[in-house]
Amino acid sequence: MFGLMQDWPLTVDKILDHAKNWHSQREVVTRSVEGPIVRTTYGEIHERAKKVSNALLAWGVKPGDRIATLAWNTARHIEAWYGIMGIGSVCHTLNPRLFPEQLIYIINHAEDRIIFVDLTFVPLLEAILPHCPTVERVVVMTDEWTMPATKLPRAECYEAVINEASADVTWGQFDENTACGLCYTSGTTGNPKGVLYSHRSNFLHTLVTLQATIMAATPNETVLPIVPMFHANAWGIAFSGPAAGAKLVMPGAKMDGASVYELLETEGVTFSAAVPTVWQGLLAHLRENNLKLSTVKRVLIGGSAVPESLIRGFNDEFGIEVMQGWGMTETSPVGTLSNMTPELAALPFEEQLKWRTKQGTPPLGVELKIKNVAGQDLPHDGHTYGRLMVKGPTIAGGYYRSDEKILDHEGFFDTGDVSTVDEYGFMQITDRAKDVIKSGGEWISSIEIENIAVGHPKVELAAVIGAAHPKWDERPVLVIKLKPGQSEDKQEHLDFLQGKIAKWWMPDDVVFVDDIPLGATGKVDKKLIRERMKDYRLPTAA
Amino acid sequence: MFGLMQDWPLTVDKILDHAKNWHSQREVVTRSVEGPIVRTTYGEIHERAKKVSNALLAWGVKPGDRIATLAWNTARHIEAWYGIMGIGSVCHTLNPRLFPEQLIYIINHAEDRIIFVDLTFVPLLEAILPHCPTVERVVVMTDEWTMPATKLPRAECYEAVINEASADVTWGQFDENTACGLCYTSGTTGNPKGVLYSHRSNFLHTLVTLQATIMAATPNETVLPIVPMFHANAWGIAFSGPAAGAKLVMPGAKMDGASVYELLETEGVTFSAAVPTVWQGLLAHLRENNLKLSTVKRVLIGGSAVPESLIRGFNDEFGIEVMQGWGMTETSPVGTLSNMTPELAALPFEEQLKWRTKQGTPPLGVELKIKNVAGQDLPHDGHTYGRLMVKGPTIAGGYYRSDEKILDHEGFFDTGDVSTVDEYGFMQITDRAKDVIKSGGEWISSIEIENIAVGHPKVELAAVIGAAHPKWDERPVLVIKLKPGQSEDKQEHLDFLQGKIAKWWMPDDVVFVDDIPLGATGKVDKKLIRERMKDYRLPTAA
């Protein structure tokens, strides 16, 4: 027997409709790509997004067509995003930090028909577009008077398009499982893979993230999503902001410490989200200039493990709560959050750090397990390592145009991460399955050692990789990029680790490098480090 | 084209699974019907709910069968609730405050097979059960040593049933639109009507209500749902509590001021929800005994309009934020909440009261309109009255075993309320459509006058009804129940209204009565007042 409640498909156009109906005057402030800080409202964004839809329809866009964006976080990007999704076409967010050949692969794989592009990326697009035969048209997201002379074929000026289009268009009215967004994983192995979000999955993710323990967006919050919309949907903030009627502040192209600081203070930001490297840049700027933050209450940090020094810095120097989150493109992305329970919150802050440096617990809607290689569930004891497996309505069930089976027999997705879960339910990523160092039949977490090593005052970046060893199979090597002007001394970094990790985890060597490469999402690119060090031999392996 | 996210049906068994997996040790504290305060956890509730499921299966319960509860808010009620829903049968919450003949009608209409009953209601059930032929079995929710001698046929003792049952049973695995709960509206006109909730509607309602602007339940909150589970699902708290891992405090049978105060203080309650009469009882108790509340931060008040005096009392004397909510059985029930926007929060508290006394704005997932009799949308100007219409996945689309069409051509449900919406989007119920007083072609809100009249220090309860008038069609009459020992003086109550309402709204008469009847959900029963006063004639109509 079915219930008798209304049939109301969960489609994301209703999110922007809600913002227009109930939070019409709430501001969205953007540091524009052209330079000035510009202001609009959800009411105006709704109107202009409808115009985008009409322009797309006039160009022959059909439901299911992929329409790409190559753009920073701006109000225009939000307009294009809803304009594309509202008519049932698919918003494909391109990550400009990818290598050109990866972008070409992705655009061709997705068969994008139209690309919305920021001024910044016009040269990049000019270079790659000759290799992308499916792209019929490019829309440069700028004003008519700033429209560049470009070699791009069929280049439209966004504001000219908006000026000419009608806002009279019907959104939604389709199945809630209709595809809505497409985002490729940066693909450290093999080709990038496309995660194809549905309206339902994004709507549910929005509700999940609005909880007080996650984004807690409300009309009384001002939210700065520094994490880009091309990085797992800005962790959902382009949905949760309008859903809650929160004021949004969009950072455009500038994510350096000084620019972020300016927006935080002038716009009264209360909540912001970004990867650790952005926050490290902000903290450095604050310290160098002896500045304080007057309105920020909480920051959400994710994308890679959060160093203890960062949590400590925000808390001790600025009185700001750090929430660590874990997720991936395949999880929409929220997977877990490190919210203190009442039991943990009652501990002194120093003791809380043990849990604050973990990735935390899942919200309702995310099922999470650790399993051994035989597929058996592992205990929540805080030290047993297992493959991290997740399941839920916001988790990928397959990749776009791929036959790969990515769920196990229980319907769980293998994250590729290795983690523990403790007796409080706190999950901690100990490593990527491919980065974990296999030494004498046991696993050593490269990430745990890195997080400690980077706390040494002379260290700018650290990476730990496994090097071949005749007896132990692999042994850890600590790779360090020093801060400018610091001198190399292997022993002091080993001494720094002493007592903080198990003896048998102690790296067999320290290697100083001029550069530690970061991947397209700002994480240390260990694949490239391993390539660069392919001729390296352990001194202990002689 | 469909998205490629996982198929994960939204069924409510997953809510209690989540609580077991991640908040297993979080307490649920109950003032038991037998007397003592008893303590359990989500982990134990999960185990025992599974045992309820197995008992039901052993008794031949099939998916879709209606299983009733006639019970207070207790941990056992939560166990029965999930035990029933988890196997796809329908939990039918009976309201013990209904007249026996209404209960008989409802049980027969629902064709309940089994009834879970609290000790309190065994005599009531003994009286009505001979008239309820579909009921095969009764489960008395008590221990073996407190099991009463009863005339009830096939009466089981709840704890004996639990002791014998296995906890090994599979929940869920059915379509998310499967029926899950049944609740009859108290039916001021005609027979009661059954709202048949689905797993999907209750799961979505749970996510909607977990927002920071609504319940904001988290593991750090202790929530006391005084509103009964038979009153629109305790406003969803039996779902949102376990979903968030919040500590729950269940008041059992005692909702008087002293009992509520004891639980608030001894259990460290931070958030509670109830109808205005409960809060008025609590405030009276606090004032009489010169008490303070040390942990409560926010209270949610709904079920009927919240008098300004109550909002003021909580704020001024106790520093507690009152959130007013509006909803109905047909809306799961959350419809709107009176959250202050930043613009309103910036006003002095006295000025905020204009909005705090309104019912507020809808969350994402509730579409809301006011329409005139011709079905046209009315403006958000704060003074135009219209029929309040709602739409969404948590709103009823029809009644159980009824062919009545309850949605308009746009899919909106007519709430039967008359309301305004102002320029901030704040909805205010001005009256029930059937209670509004039609005077000279215009509408007078009975509720607005009542809310002011009840603020007079001598008044205990007030009601305004329309009385026939030869010229104006109807004119308002103020019906007053004085506090004990107060003397009757019509003019002082009219003087009290002077300047606070429009001149033409001024009641034509004041009538003092010994009793103002309350209906089954604690609201003033105007239908009964009108019946009692059917021979009344206006002095002005002579």
Side-chain angles (χ1 to χ4, degrees):
Chain A
M1 184 167 65
F2 281 174
L4 292 171
M5 307 307 278
Q6 294 184 16
D7 178 23
W8 193 88
L10 307 175
T11 57
V12 301
D13 51 289
K14 288 167 172 155
I15 294 175
L16 199 59
D17 283 348
H18 177 78
K20 183 206 74 168
N21 289 334
W22 304 101
H23 308 286
S24 169
Q25 297 304 308
R26 189 70 53 217
E27 277 190 318
V28 177
V29 180
T30 300
R31 184 190 295 282
S32 65
V33 176
E34 294 85 354
I37 288 177
V38 295
R39 316 180 89 80
T40 180
T41 63
Y42 286 127
E44 289 171 8
I45 285 177
H46 185 272
E47 166 107 359
R48 288 162 55 89
K50 290 228 152 182
K51 293 183 172 189
V52 169
S53 292
N54 262 330
L56 293 172
L57 292 172
W59 293 330
V61 170
K62 300 274 178 298
D65 284 353
R66 277 74 62 209
I67 310 298
T69 61
L70 187 62
W72 301 110
N73 287 7
T74 68
R76 284 186 182 130
H77 199 173
I78 296 180
E79 292 163 7
W81 168 291
Y82 283 97
I84 294 165
M85 296 178 183
I87 55 170
S89 48
V90 177
C91 183
H92 175 198
T93 46
L94 294 167
N95 184 344
R97 293 169 185 157
L98 293 174
F99 296 112
E101 57 270 31
Q102 287 179 305
L103 277 173
I104 292 167
Y105 171 85
I106 287 172
I107 293 168
N108 289 334
H109 189 266
E111 300 175 296
D112 295 326
R113 289 187 60 189
I114 297 170
I115 300 180
F116 286 77
V117 62
D118 268 337
L119 281 179
T120 322
F121 306 120
V122 167
L124 170 61
L125 206 53
E126 285 172 342
I128 66 175
L129 216 56
H131 309 286
C132 303
T134 64
V135 178
E136 302 162 18
R137 195 180 299 263
V138 170
V139 184
V140 182
M141 299 215 279
T142 194
D143 295 285
E144 292 183 76
W145 61 87
T146 46
M147 184 71 185
T150 171
K151 298 179 294 187
L152 289 170
R154 302 186 72 177
E156 310 270 355
C157 169
Y158 184 83
E159 289 299 329
V161 167
I162 293 283
N163 281 341
E164 284 162 24
S166 150
D168 183 17
V169 64
T170 302
W171 277 348
Q173 316 289 331
F174 38 71
D175 190 294
E176 69 187 30
N177 291 301
T178 300
C180 143
L182 179 61
C183 186
Y184 282 74
T185 60
S186 35
T188 44
T189 53
N191 278 321
K193 295 165 181 179
V195 177
L196 190 65
Y197 306 105
S198 65
H199 280 265
R200 172 182 164 103
S201 73
N202 276 334
F203 197 104
L204 289 172
H205 186 264
T206 303
L207 288 178
V208 166
T209 60
L210 284 175
Q211 289 181 62
T213 46
I214 309 184
M215 302 289 179
T218 76
N220 296 290
E221 300 282 337
T222 297
V223 180
L224 172 67
I226 306 177
V227 54
M229 290 162 74
F230 56 75
H231 183 187
N233 304 317
W235 302 346
I237 296 176
F239 295 119
S240 57
K247 174 179 168 183
L248 279 186
V249 182
M250 307 296 275
K254 294 201 176 172
M255 280 159 271
D256 60 285
S259 301
V260 168
Y261 170 75
E262 185 195 9
L263 285 181
L264 292 173
E265 285 296 299
T266 58
E267 297 301 328
V269 171
T270 59
F271 176 77
S272 183
V275 295
T277 44
V278 166
W279 296 120
Q280 271 154 342
L282 175 68
L283 283 191
H285 177 78
L286 295 173
R287 286 165 180 154
E288 280 160 25
N289 298 281
N290 199 23
L291 300 169
K292 290 287 171 196
L293 294 171
S294 53
T295 57
V296 178
K297 293 179 293 187
R298 296 179 308 135
V299 294
L300 174 59
I301 313 188
S304 59
V306 182
E308 185 179 304
S309 57
L310 197 53
I311 300 171
R312 231 185 246 282
F314 269 111
N315 181 77
D316 299 354
E317 298 168 52
F318 302 96
I320 291 170
E321 168 103 12
V322 167
M323 296 164 58
Q324 178 165 191
W326 167 82
M328 39 199 317
T329 304
E330 288 89 339
T331 64
S332 293
V334 167
T336 62
L337 277 115
S338 68
N339 282 292
M340 294 298 100
T341 63
E343 296 76 20
L344 298 175
L347 298 174
F349 188 79
E350 281 300 310
E351 291 177 41
Q352 289 177 24
L353 281 169
K354 179 179 167 190
W355 286 274
R356 290 187 177 273
T357 50
K358 298 187 178 192
Q359 281 70 47
T361 57
L364 176 67
V366 178
E367 293 188 54
L368 188 149
K369 280 184 175 182
I370 47 172
K371 292 190 175 185
N372 64 15
V373 282
Q376 295 162 315
D377 293 353
L378 294 173
H380 290 193
D381 59 13
H383 59 83
T384 304
Y385 286 19
R387 295 291 286 240
L388 180 64
M389 313 290 292
V390 289
K391 183 176 175 178
T394 59
I395 315 284
Y399 293 112
Y400 184 54
R401 293 182 57 201
S402 159
D403 294 330
E404 188 185 350
K405 296 275 173 285
I406 63 172
L407 307 185
D408 71 7
H409 68 287
E410 291 186 300
F412 280 79
F413 168 73
D414 186 340
T415 64
D417 281 320
V418 170
S419 74
T420 57
V421 179
D422 69 25
E423 58 276 26
Y424 289 92
F426 272 56
M427 186 276 286
Q428 182 166 34
I429 303 280
T430 49
D431 222 330
R432 290 294 291 170
K434 64 188 173 345
D435 293 334
V436 78
I437 294 152
K438 289 93 181 171
S439 176
E442 301 275 353
W443 287 356
I444 296 173
S445 162
S446 62
I447 291 177
E448 281 189 43
I449 304 175
E450 287 163 10
N451 284 346
I452 299 166
V454 82
H456 189 287
K458 292 186 180 175
V459 174
E460 184 166 317
L461 284 169
V464 172
I465 61 167
H469 190 283
K471 180 172 176 190
W472 302 110
D473 208 17
E474 283 186 340
R475 288 296 302 157
V477 175
L478 175 58
V479 182
I480 285 176
K481 179 189 177 189
L482 291 168
K483 288 179 182 166
Q486 300 295 340
S487 59
E488 298 179 4
D489 176 351
K490 292 185 180 191
Q491 196 55 43
E492 75 179 315
H493 298 285
L494 295 174
D495 290 347
F496 188 72
L497 295 175
Q498 204 77 44
K500 296 176 182 133
I501 56 173
K503 277 213 173 68
W504 65 277
W505 280 34
M506 194 59 72
D508 278 24
D509 194 12
V510 179
V511 175
F512 295 96
V513 295
D514 295 335
D515 174 47
I516 286 188
L518 301 179
T521 55
K523 297 180 204 178
V524 168
D525 184 345
K526 291 201 192 160
K527 189 184 169 204
L528 189 51
I529 296 175
R530 280 191 287 260
E531 274 175 30
R532 288 181 184 175
M533 291 178 63
K534 65 179 188 296
D535 296 328
Y536 171 84
R537 293 292 172 270
L538 277 173
T540 50
Chain B
M1 183 167 67
F2 282 176
L4 292 171
M5 307 306 278
Q6 293 184 15
D7 178 24
W8 194 87
L10 307 175
T11 58
V12 302
D13 50 289
K14 287 168 173 155
I15 294 175
L16 199 60
D17 283 349
H18 177 79
K20 184 207 74 169
N21 289 334
W22 304 101
H23 308 286
S24 171
Q25 298 305 308
R26 189 70 53 217
E27 277 189 320
V28 178
V29 180
T30 300
R31 185 190 295 280
S32 66
V33 176
E34 295 85 355
I37 288 175
V38 296
R39 316 180 88 81
T40 180
T41 63
Y42 286 126
E44 289 171 8
I45 286 177
H46 184 272
E47 167 107 359
R48 287 162 56 89
K50 290 227 153 183
K51 292 182 172 191
V52 170
S53 292
N54 262 329
L56 294 172
L57 292 172
W59 294 329
V61 170
K62 299 275 180 294
D65 284 353
R66 277 74 60 208
I67 310 299
T69 62
L70 188 61
W72 301 110
N73 287 7
T74 67
R76 284 185 181 130
H77 198 172
I78 296 179
E79 292 164 7
W81 168 290
Y82 282 98
I84 295 165
M85 295 178 183
I87 55 170
S89 49
V90 177
C91 183
H92 175 199
T93 46
L94 293 167
N95 183 346
R97 294 170 184 156
L98 293 175
F99 297 112
E101 57 269 31
Q102 287 179 306
L103 277 173
I104 291 167
Y105 171 85
I106 286 172
I107 292 167
N108 290 333
H109 188 266
E111 301 175 297
D112 295 326
R113 290 187 59 190
I114 297 170
I115 300 181
F116 286 78
V117 63
D118 268 338
L119 282 178
T120 323
F121 306 120
V122 167
L124 170 62
L125 205 54
E126 285 173 341
I128 66 175
L129 215 57
H131 309 286
C132 302
T134 65
V135 179
E136 302 161 17
R137 193 181 300 263
V138 169
V139 184
V140 183
M141 299 214 277
T142 193
D143 295 284
E144 293 183 74
W145 60 88
T146 45
M147 184 72 184
T150 170
K151 300 180 292 187
L152 288 171
R154 303 187 70 178
E156 311 271 356
C157 169
Y158 184 84
E159 289 300 328
V161 168
I162 293 284
N163 281 340
E164 286 162 24
S166 151
D168 184 16
V169 64
T170 301
W171 278 348
Q173 317 288 331
F174 38 69
D175 189 295
E176 68 186 31
N177 291 300
T178 299
C180 146
L182 179 61
C183 187
Y184 282 74
T185 60
S186 35
T188 44
T189 53
N191 277 320
K193 296 167 181 178
V195 178
L196 189 65
Y197 305 104
S198 65
H199 280 264
R200 172 182 163 102
S201 73
N202 276 335
F203 197 104
L204 288 173
H205 186 263
T206 303
L207 288 178
V208 166
T209 61
L210 284 175
Q211 289 181 63
T213 46
I214 310 184
M215 303 288 179
T218 75
N220 296 291
E221 300 281 336
T222 297
V223 179
L224 172 68
I226 306 177
V227 55
M229 290 162 74
F230 56 75
H231 183 187
N233 304 316
W235 303 347
I237 295 175
F239 295 119
S240 58
K247 175 178 167 183
L248 279 186
V249 182
M250 307 296 275
K254 296 201 174 171
M255 281 157 275
D256 61 286
S259 301
V260 168
Y261 170 76
E262 185 195 9
L263 286 181
L264 292 173
E265 284 297 299
T266 58
E267 296 301 329
V269 171
T270 58
F271 175 77
S272 182
V275 295
T277 45
V278 166
W279 296 119
Q280 270 154 344
L282 175 69
L283 282 193
H285 177 78
L286 295 174
R287 287 166 180 153
E288 281 159 23
N289 298 281
N290 199 23
L291 300 169
K292 290 288 171 196
L293 294 171
S294 54
T295 57
V296 178
K297 293 178 295 186
R298 296 179 308 133
V299 295
L300 175 59
I301 312 187
S304 57
V306 181
E308 185 180 303
S309 57
L310 197 53
I311 301 170
R312 232 185 246 282
F314 269 111
N315 181 77
D316 298 354
E317 298 168 52
F318 301 96
I320 291 169
E321 167 104 11
V322 168
M323 296 163 59
Q324 177 164 191
W326 167 83
M328 36 195 324
T329 304
E330 289 90 337
T331 64
S332 293
V334 167
T336 62
L337 278 116
S338 68
N339 282 292
M340 294 297 100
T341 63
E343 296 76 21
L344 298 175
L347 297 174
F349 188 79
E350 281 299 310
E351 292 176 41
Q352 289 177 25
L353 282 168
K354 179 178 167 189
W355 286 275
R356 290 187 177 274
T357 50
K358 298 188 179 190
Q359 281 70 46
T361 56
L364 176 67
V366 178
E367 292 187 55
L368 189 149
K369 280 184 177 184
I370 46 173
K371 292 189 176 187
N372 64 16
V373 283
Q376 294 161 314
D377 293 353
L378 294 174
H380 290 194
D381 60 14
H383 58 83
T384 305
Y385 286 19
R387 295 290 286 240
L388 180 64
M389 313 290 293
V390 289
K391 183 175 175 178
T394 60
I395 316 284
Y399 292 112
Y400 184 54
R401 293 182 58 202
S402 158
D403 294 330
E404 188 185 351
K405 296 275 172 286
I406 63 171
L407 307 185
D408 71 7
H409 68 287
E410 291 186 302
F412 279 80
F413 168 74
D414 186 341
T415 63
D417 281 321
V418 170
S419 74
T420 57
V421 179
D422 69 24
E423 59 276 26
Y424 288 93
F426 272 55
M427 186 274 287
Q428 182 166 33
I429 304 280
T430 49
D431 223 330
R432 290 294 292 170
K434 63 188 174 342
D435 293 334
V436 78
I437 294 151
K438 288 94 181 170
S439 176
E442 300 275 353
W443 286 357
I444 295 173
S445 162
S446 63
I447 291 177
E448 280 188 45
I449 304 175
E450 287 163 9
N451 283 346
I452 298 166
V454 82
H456 188 286
K458 293 186 178 174
V459 173
E460 184 165 317
L461 284 170
V464 172
I465 60 166
H469 190 283
K471 179 173 175 190
W472 302 111
D473 206 20
E474 284 187 340
R475 288 296 300 157
V477 175
L478 175 58
V479 182
I480 284 176
K481 179 187 176 190
L482 291 169
K483 287 179 181 167
Q486 300 296 341
S487 59
E488 298 180 2
D489 176 350
K490 293 186 179 191
Q491 195 54 44
E492 75 177 315
H493 297 286
L494 294 174
D495 290 347
F496 187 72
L497 296 175
Q498 204 76 46
K500 296 177 182 133
I501 56 172
K503 277 211 172 70
W504 66 277
W505 281 33
M506 193 59 71
D508 277 24
D509 195 11
V510 179
V511 174
F512 294 96
V513 294
D514 294 335
D515 174 46
I516 285 188
L518 300 179
T521 54
K523 297 181 206 179
V524 167
D525 184 345
K526 290 201 192 162
K527 189 183 169 203
L528 189 52
I529 296 175
R530 278 191 288 259
E531 273 175 31
R532 289 182 184 175
M533 290 180 65
K534 65 180 188 297
D535 297 326
Y536 170 84
R537 294 290 173 269
L538 274 176
T540 50

